[in-house]
Amino acid sequence: MKKDGIKVVTIGGGSSYTPELVEGFIKRYHELPVRELWLVDIPEGEEKLKIVGELAKRMVKKAGIPMEIHLTLDRREALKGADFVTTQLRVGLLDARIKDEKIPLKYGVIGQETNGPGGLFKALRTIPVILDIAKDMAELCPDAWLINFTNPAGMVTEALLRYGAIKKVIGLCNVPVGMHMGVAKMLGVQSQRVRIDFAGLNHMVFGLNVYLDGEKITDKLIELMTGGTPSGITPANIPDLEWEKDFIKALGILPCPYHRYYYQTSKMLEQELESFQKEGTRAEVVKKIEEELFELYKDPNLDIKPPQLEKRGGAYYSDAACNLISSIYNDKGDIQPVNTRNNGAIASIPDESAVEISCVITKEGPKPIAIGDLPIPVRGLVQQIKSFERVTVEAAVTGDYHKALLAMTINPLVPSDTIAKQILDEMLEAHKEYLPQFFKPKSDNQ
Ligand code: G6P
């Protein structure tokens, strides 16, 4: 890696989240000199790419730093000689997410972007595209790190680790960072004084121990959580339903906001149906927020990240991304939670599977900190989700209908094999355009 400046390529660069990333790089320019930032998109995203790209240029100009912003629809051109590649794309755009969220609801099943049937289908659409990007990287920038935020980040990382053409792969999510910030807020202290041992899977991660100034305070935090102190942990896209206090006491570790889908399934479904009636699915709400954001981004006088971006669920994602990239670049050896190869860090998860866990970050990448094993009460659920993720990855890679049915049926949010098959069939048809692996033309001798 060049010490005099690095090249970052962001695929899905036309995303409304991009100003976050640009702000993150600007803030850290003194330690992380990003000299070239290439924002890449597809033809359908060209208009958004131009709008957000122009805003990025104004932000950089205002900051007075020599960061070149390049906008392109040519991914291969952009990838040449990259040091870091970040992926934040959405196959099928928000319209596909609307289907992921809406169709399961008809069957009385939670419709969510990364959990249940929605997560399964987002994985089926996304994994082949990301594996293609990895192939291009192997050819055009074999030494670069791929940092993926594209959801479902856990399954995408699992697929890259098992089938990717490159080894330097990390999955990233804002949930652990959000938990960290939320805990600091609850304690009324600066976040640097708090440390959390994270372990689990993406959107299924637990805070096993919480420390303040190095002293373990997990029990005190649980007391606060059950004593009515607002947590501020939950991102904008998830209803902040209260936990059953005695349950949290009994659990004794910090769940992530997404655990509500599993421990509060019926309440979450009720809530989802209610907001669906009122304002449509989350993706429909996000579509409106995006329209407003892009209107703001068009303003030639705007040269900062507008605060309205905080209405999106991905707050802090740029902190997670830029801190990670900076720690690799500067060989910091600090601790950050990322999605990486388990390598025995959690005993009950296969070594070669992706886990979301606190890692020491050096220029060699993340080294997970071994925890022994997860506590018995959560171990089973985590393993079940990992089985779902592995079968989903197999289905995404092979386009095998039966594997997809298996994945749908073993997901804990799907109540029966019959309903699983009904949802699967309807969703396969609805997403046909983005699932070529399931609709291969039959050859003559078949
Ligand atoms: C959370 C998740 C992200 C997800 C986002 C969705 O923060 O951790 O993985 O992308 O919310 O937010 P949105 O505003 O798109 O509903």
Side-chain angles (χ1 to χ4, degrees), residues 24-68:
F25 286 138
I26 290 175
K27 271 201 289 192
R28 292 169 184 78
Y29 192 79
H30 59 285
E31 60 172 59
L32 182 67
V34 177
R35 289 283 157 79
E36 289 178 50
L37 175 60
W38 287 68
L39 303 177
V40 184
D41 222 302
I42 53 171
E44 293 90 314
E46 187 171 12
E47 202 197 328
K48 283 165 71 183
L49 177 68
K50 276 200 183 130
I51 298 171
V52 89
E54 289 310 316
L55 170 58
K57 287 180 187 169
R58 293 193 297 274
M59 290 171 74
V60 164
K61 189 166 171 219
K62 182 178 186 212
I65 50 168
M67 187 192 298
E68 292 169 20

Side-chain angles (χ1 to χ4, degrees), residues 17 90 97 113 151 173-175 203 235 237 258 282 286 311-314:
Y17 279 119
R90 192 185 286 286
R97 177 170 168 189
E113 188 190 17
N151 271 326
C173 181
N174 64 333
V175 160
H203 288 184
N237 60 308
Y258 282 87
R282 172 72 188 163
V286 165
K311 288 195 215 161
R312 298 294 306 274

Side-chain angles (χ1 to χ4, degrees), residues 57-96:
K57 287 180 187 169
R58 293 193 297 274
M59 290 171 74
V60 164
K61 189 166 171 219
K62 182 178 186 212
I65 50 168
M67 187 192 298
E68 292 169 20
I69 305 281
H70 298 264
L71 311 180
T72 182
L73 302 184
D74 187 343
R75 173 170 105 196
R76 289 179 57 86
E77 175 65 24
L79 285 176
K80 282 182 202 149
D83 297 300
F84 290 93
V85 177
T86 69
T87 38
Q88 50 178 39
L89 51 100
R90 192 185 286 286
V91 180
L93 308 173
L94 280 168
D95 286 336

Side-chain angles (χ1 to χ4, degrees), residues 30-312:
H30 59 285
E31 60 172 59
L32 182 67
V34 177
R35 289 283 157 79
E36 289 178 50
L37 175 60
W38 287 68
L39 303 177
V40 184
D41 222 302
I42 53 171
E44 293 90 314
E46 187 171 12
E47 202 197 328
K48 283 165 71 183
L49 177 68
K50 276 200 183 130
I51 298 171
V52 89
E54 289 310 316
L55 170 58
K57 287 180 187 169
R58 293 193 297 274
M59 290 171 74
V60 164
K61 189 166 171 219
K62 182 178 186 212
I65 50 168
M67 187 192 298
E68 292 169 20
I69 305 281
H70 298 264
L71 311 180
T72 182
L73 302 184
D74 187 343
R75 173 170 105 196
R76 289 179 57 86
E77 175 65 24
L79 285 176
K80 282 182 202 149
D83 297 300
F84 290 93
V85 177
T86 69
T87 38
Q88 50 178 39
L89 51 100
R90 192 185 286 286
V91 180
L93 308 173
L94 280 168
D95 286 336
R97 177 170 168 189
I98 294 176
K99 292 177 190 166
D100 285 344
E101 292 173 342
K102 211 181 247 182
I103 296 171
L105 282 182
K106 286 209 293 201
Y107 299 88
V109 173
I110 282 176
Q112 213 277 326
E113 188 190 17
T114 60
N115 292 263
L120 166 62
F121 269 81
K122 190 159 174 29
L124 298 181
R125 294 193 301 275
T126 310
I127 286 170
V129 175
I130 303 266
L131 291 178
D132 265 355
I133 294 174
K135 242 190 243 160
D136 281 352
M137 285 179 65
E139 190 188 326
L140 301 163
C141 51
D143 293 329
W145 282 94
L146 171 56
I147 298 186
N148 173 66
F149 320 119
T150 303
N151 271 326
M155 288 189 264
V156 169
T157 311
E158 180 84 23
L160 281 163
L161 292 175
R162 288 180 185 271
Y163 297 101
I166 48 167
K167 291 269 165 288
K168 291 162 95 175
V169 162
I170 306 175
L172 205 55
C173 181
N174 64 333
V175 160
V177 192
M179 289 167 74
H180 187 145
M181 307 292 245
V183 165
K185 207 158 134 199
M186 278 172 86
L187 296 168
V189 301
Q190 296 244 312
S191 62
Q192 300 89 303
R193 293 176 58 194
V194 174
R195 201 175 79 230
I196 303 180
D197 294 336
F198 288 104
L201 309 179
N202 181 236
H203 288 184
M204 174 61 42
V205 73
F206 291 91
L208 298 184
N209 295 300
V210 182
Y211 308 83
L212 176 63
D213 299 328
E215 197 184 316
K216 208 187 272 187
I217 52 138
T218 322
D219 293 345
K220 186 179 156 200
L221 186 82
I222 300 284
E223 283 291 310
L224 285 178
M225 276 181 80
T226 53
T229 307
S231 76
I233 287 177
T234 308
N237 60 308
I238 303 182
D240 195 7
L241 298 188
E242 253 189 59
W243 289 102
E244 185 60 61
K245 293 182 177 37
D246 286 325
F247 164 67
I248 293 295
K249 268 192 192 153
L251 191 64
I253 56 176
L254 193 61
C256 84
Y258 282 87
H259 281 116
R260 290 193 178 83
Y261 291 109
Y262 301 91
Y263 295 135
Q264 306 186 330
T265 314
S266 52
K267 269 199 272 176
M268 289 295 273
L269 180 60
E270 234 172 75
Q271 177 84 27
E272 216 183 64
L273 286 166
E274 213 182 290
S275 36
F276 175 61
Q277 301 302 340
K278 270 199 233 140
E279 48 185 15
T281 64
R282 172 72 188 163
E284 286 165 306
V285 173
V286 165
K287 247 190 166 180
K288 288 199 196 103
I289 302 176
E290 283 220 333
E291 277 164 24
E292 284 169 35
L293 283 171
F294 276 93
E295 274 313 305
L296 293 171
Y297 293 176
K298 277 183 197 162
D299 177 357
N301 296 315
L302 181 78
D303 53 10
I304 52 159
K305 177 192 87 177
Q308 286 87 335
L309 188 48
E310 275 155 30
K311 288 195 215 161
R312 298 294 306 274

